[in-house]
Amino acid sequence: MEESDSEKKMEKENLGPRMDPPIGEPEGSLGWVLPNTAMKKKVLLMGKSGSGKTSMRSIIFANYIARDTRRLGATIDVEHSHVRFLGNLVLNLWDCGGQDTFMENYFTSQRDNIFRNVEVLIYVFDVESRELEKDMHYYQSCLEAILQNSPDAKIFCLVHKMDLVQEDQRDLIFKEREEDLRRLSRPLECSCFRTSIWDETLYKAWSSIVYQLIPNVQQLEMNLRNFAEIIEADEVLLFERATFLVISHYQCKEQRDAHRFEKISNIIKQFKLSCSKLAASFQSMEVRNSNFAAFIDIFTSNTYVMVVMSDPSIPSAATLINIRNARKHFEKLERVDGPKQCLLMR
Ligand SMILES: Nc1nc2c(ncn2[C@@H]2O[C@H](COP(=O)(O)OP(=O)(O)OP(=O)(O)O)[C@@H](O)[C@H]2O)c(=O)[nH]1
Ligand SMILES: [Mg+2]
């Protein structure tokens, strides 16, 4: 993962703690060169000023904690950053400052530059905005430019700052907004998420977005399934190592909590942050009670794995060996050509 200029600036200003150094290789300004095989995907992050774009980017990709985003300044023009995922996938993030003058420029003089070759548009709406009509107007201008320049782009709308809405109103308000956005987006399709930097919803949305961008994710899932069945796990999760977003999972047994992935991402990321404050780096953990044992461990160079076991006759040591043995297989799947091979081990 590379730090963008703004991230460097934020760090200089001592803006909040950062975790361990980014795992992915940096590219561009730091002098690294991406391999030719790198699959770069341009991701536009748009929405009006103050809607929370830089905040979410800083939390997901630059290890900020929510309260530190209060000190972020408005983004001037466009800030670029690159995030390296699973071997050959590189997200090329364009965080587009949302002040009116910048927005107008994006639709006129910078139109081609901004909207060409876009793979993903993430449009962020402040749910408490007092200028709903203007927000929708900008969104529609953005869609027009996308339709013209990158008609195949995937579109995601985030109805953000949901923490500011009374809890019993959230479902209703989100449903209304979602309907409006879908209608306005036609003929393009959009997926909507409700988000807040103050809870796990941010992870849910970004996991879903990233999941849709990982090449051959089905192959990865198939291998994870084989692995889970071989080691008799209840569930196996794969987390992207730098962001701790869940990128793949397989469950053999029904699990009660539908939000467990995002909760775990959130908790572990906070825990990693606490570790880094003590100059320690998080490697692995085992959590055990009378019903189950959960193992979280570094897996491949780009992932962590979590294995949940409920069979008391399988000792921890056996599961840890199984995880270790699976590492090299998954390491191979991640290499340049992506996950093509199948895990065959017994
Ligand atoms: N309550 C609440 N505040 C948020 C949330 N996300 C971001 N904020 C706050 O919103 C303010 C503006 O956030 P930014 O991320 O700078 O907004 P931006 O969209 O990047 O703005 P521009 O760079 O001007 O386009 C900050 O004070 C954040 O702390 C959220 O989910 N809930
Ligand atoms: Mg910003």
Side-chain angles (χ1 to χ4, degrees), residues 49-55 69-70 74-75 98 160-161 163 196-197:
S49 182
S51 59
K53 302 175 293 297
T54 309
S55 302
T69 64
R70 290 187 183 130
T75 305
H160 192 52
K161 302 197 184 180
D163 56 284
S196 162
I197 57 168

